[in-house]
Amino acid sequence: MAAHDSVEQKYVYDFAEGNKDLKDLLGGKGANLAEMTNLGLPVPPGFTITTEACKAYLTTGREPDGLAAQIEAHLESLEREMGRRLGDPDDPLLVSVRSGAKFSMPGMMETVLNVGLNDRSVIGLSNQAGGNDRFAWDSYRRLIQMFGKTVCEVPGEEFEHALDEIKSAKGTHNDLDLDADDLRGLVDAYKKIFAKHTGREFPQEPREQLDLAIRAVFDSWNAERAILYRRQERIPADLGTAVNVVTMVFGNLGPDSGTGVAFTRDPGSGAQGIYGDYLANAQGEDVVAGIRNTVPLQELEQLDKTSYDELLGIMARLEEHYKDLCDIEFTIERGKLWMLQTRVGKRTAAAAFVIAGQLVDEGLIDLDEALHRVNGAQLAQLMFPRFQLDHEFEAVAKGIGASPGAASGKVVFTSARAVELAAEGESVILVRRETNPDDLNGMIAAKGILTSRGGKTSHAAVVARGMGKTCVSGADELDVNVPAKKFTVGGHVVNEGDIVSIDGTTGKVYLGEVPVMPSEVVQYFEGELDPETTDDALVRSVHRIMTHADAARRLRVRTNADTGTDAARARRFGAEGIGLCRTEHMFLGDRRELVERLILASGEREREDALAALLPLQRADFVEIFREMDGLPVTVRLIDPPLHEFLPPLEQLAVNVAVAQERGEDVAKEEALLAAVRRMHEENPMLGLRGVRLGLVIPGLFAMQVRAIAEAAVAVVRDGGTACPEIMVPLVGAVQELETVRAEAERIIAEVVGDSGVEVLIGTMIEVPRAALTAGQIAEAAEFFSFGTNDLTQMGWGFSRDDVEGAFFWRYLELGIFGISPFESIDTDGVGRLIRIAAEEGRAARPGLKLGVCGEHGGDPDSVHFFHEVGLDYVSCSPFRVPVARLEAGRAAITTTGSDSR
Ligand code: PEP
Ligand code: MG
């Protein structure tokens, strides 16, 4: 970019210049500070450096041209407004330097407070604070500590250690017992630590402090934990963070000062009311770190009624303005209320549904917006079971229900151990006094998180809620001893590896494993809870939003089910048909013997006998399924896996035969089996004799299945039911394959259905890339396509679907080659393109061609949006994901300008 262009680019915005819709540019924090400023709320003045500046810095490794001058100009205007200069020895302006990306990343990036303090302005600060030396030196030591740690990478423990030493010399555990002299001494100690690690003195020049702090915030976008968090939360890696430079206000100026956080509704349950924590005589960071225990916000009414009333008024105003749950950070400096932050608050899955329903009732939003405000991942979470508790289980501790759900697992005390055990397949509960951003890996690996300190707004709570992970925080009866790998509670000693259970809704902690019970949302879907009469606000809201989603969606939702039980459940969950009935399970169990006979048949006669024996069994399977799905379409897929999957494994069989031969037993049958297994062995079975290839190679196999399907349909219809079978051929790559199968199938169907009125559609899976690319030809022989996105992904990428996720995807995720496994969420650019081509060319060749998807992606929220957009007729997914797909299909169909539900 030419120099004169970049000079013109605006990189710095005064709070009065922005608004809440500029999150891309100003980050969430900056945009909302601007919005509050423009609403006339008491926001400490400041300015925001844009994400564009950050991106330019991260790309080139230096601040873009013009940034320094713009910062200077905005700083001067801030100094004029405040009547103080940054670092002025007599009357200093101090600022905080805070990160703030488009999407909230709690605790993942850096913040530096008290910028502008040095050896001289510390005296000025004391004078400003009415001669409060203690406060001034405490502020200074906090600056050196934060600046040292975040800007210059001085190990934080060194500062902690120096603080502990001074406290123990004084015989106290409490920071508040340290006086001004102690803190002055601490500043000296901190400066020495700083110099030792950085090889330079702590910078005394305020503008240098400011510039370095801004740069550190930019850099923190690419800190390891931030990268990890983004990957987990699927936040794009290229957004960059904004930097907010805000006039410092102090909550630690005495008992008439303090700091707190508040929610306009309960972020846990969605219940209306005032929720929050307050900590007198403290800085905001003390609350988030859970260092001292807070009091409920309501107690502020006694402490400072004027500020309390003003805060309540502001909260009501913000809710009405944002039309949503707001989460707020504030500080009271000597009786004066300051708003430090607001944003549309994160909430639990249950609260998301409840609040959306309430806001509709209150007339603040309409049902489309309510639908937009919830998502399938939240619904899926609500379908998790919870603990089943009776008198046998007594909680040993009660903390704060910080993130709901129920989790049992082995206790671990470090992030590393959590990752280790989880990798071995264990469920683990990460137990800490409090978590910090370095624990992120362990938090991701753990089933649940338990801390002995901190409230609903502590790091553990905020991060766990964001991840939808069960968390109990602030269980202060627990005495956690991390080095000794144990905690004690009420006389019990719990060691690493012992099992505990935590309830993230009630905050209760149990020793041992507690059994679980189903969710009320599942009970509702099962038809066991009447949404009209229940007093469960969640169920009422889920019902209302689901009803709206069903009315709004264009995509139909079917299920993948191959038993009557699954089909029945899926139907209760709202499935509108079966999109994939895999028939292979019908060849297992006591039918293996028949399959063996089929495979080992030495002549046509023996093979026909085996098939004839299988026919009535298959027919009965289909009758059961058609009955359950009475009147709804049922797509039955002809057998897909290679037949040797139904035989014993080669090695095992070889050993058995050898042992039996050794013993002199008659092994003729086993030998024949072994020979067959050897004959059928494939190096790449996924690319071998399976799907339609089987049907073309093994005479009579598909014919038997087609006959069973047609006969079952006729039987159901003769009984007064309605059967709508759709026969699906797997793994087709060329129209000729399908034509061959189709010719035989049509002949059998015509023979079986006669005048019964049964209609059978014949279609194909599109799961081989060649099929997608020749869809125009294939459509000539198919009445429907169903995209098998599992195989299409496997063959599109050339990734073995059974191996790669465990083997090396971690590296691909780490490198950002993709943000999520393409087996989980559809790769829209590649595999998605194949789907687009096939849909377009298929429909062009056969207008009205029915299109669906039955791979795992059919129940993945993001993929459902893609399938809607491509114009498929339906998605098909496992029964438990049917409600999720219904909801997401509804969300895909509505367009709203509302806030992002992230
Ligand atoms: C698919 O490949 O997406 C599919 C549904 O078939 P299967 O998973 O049985 O191979
Ligand atoms: Mg497949």
Side-chain angles (χ1 to χ4, degrees), residues 560 579-580 582 584 637 640-641 686 690 728 730-731 765-768 786-795 801 853-857 876:
N560 295 357
L580 174 61
R582 291 182 169 102
E584 33 274 17
R637 183 179 71 185
D640 179 8
M686 273 297 189
R690 54 173 286 221
M728 179 153 77
L731 222 74
M765 299 206 53
I766 300 288
E767 53 183 347
V768 176
S786 179
F787 290 97
T789 47
N790 304 331
D791 272 309
L792 202 54
T793 302
Q794 168 165 266
M795 290 182 237
R801 60 194 260 193
V853 58
C854 62
E856 284 308 300
H857 305 84
S876 187

Side-chain angles (χ1 to χ4, degrees), residues 213-280:
I214 292 170
R215 181 177 271 222
V217 175
F218 285 161
D219 283 331
S220 68
W221 175 257
N222 280 333
E224 200 178 319
R225 65 183 187 224
I227 293 171
L228 195 63
Y229 185 85
R230 286 199 292 273
R231 200 173 294 143
Q232 170 85 11
E233 297 294 310
R234 301 205 213 164
I235 295 174
D238 58 357
L239 299 176
T241 179
V243 184
N244 301 289
V245 177
V246 193
T247 304
M248 280 300 301
V249 289
F250 295 97
N252 53 344
L253 271 173
D256 58 352
S257 302
T259 187
V261 291
F263 299 94
T264 54
R265 299 178 197 230
D266 184 346
S269 69
Q272 275 143 317
I274 308 291
Y275 294 84
D277 304 311
Y278 183 70
L279 192 56

Side-chain angles (χ1 to χ4, degrees), residues 642-663:
L643 283 188
H644 58 74
E645 282 197 8
F646 301 96
L647 300 179
L650 179 62
E651 292 78 13
Q652 186 197 323
L653 203 56
V655 171
N656 289 355
V657 169
V659 170
Q661 278 170 337
E662 193 69 20
R663 289 199 196 115

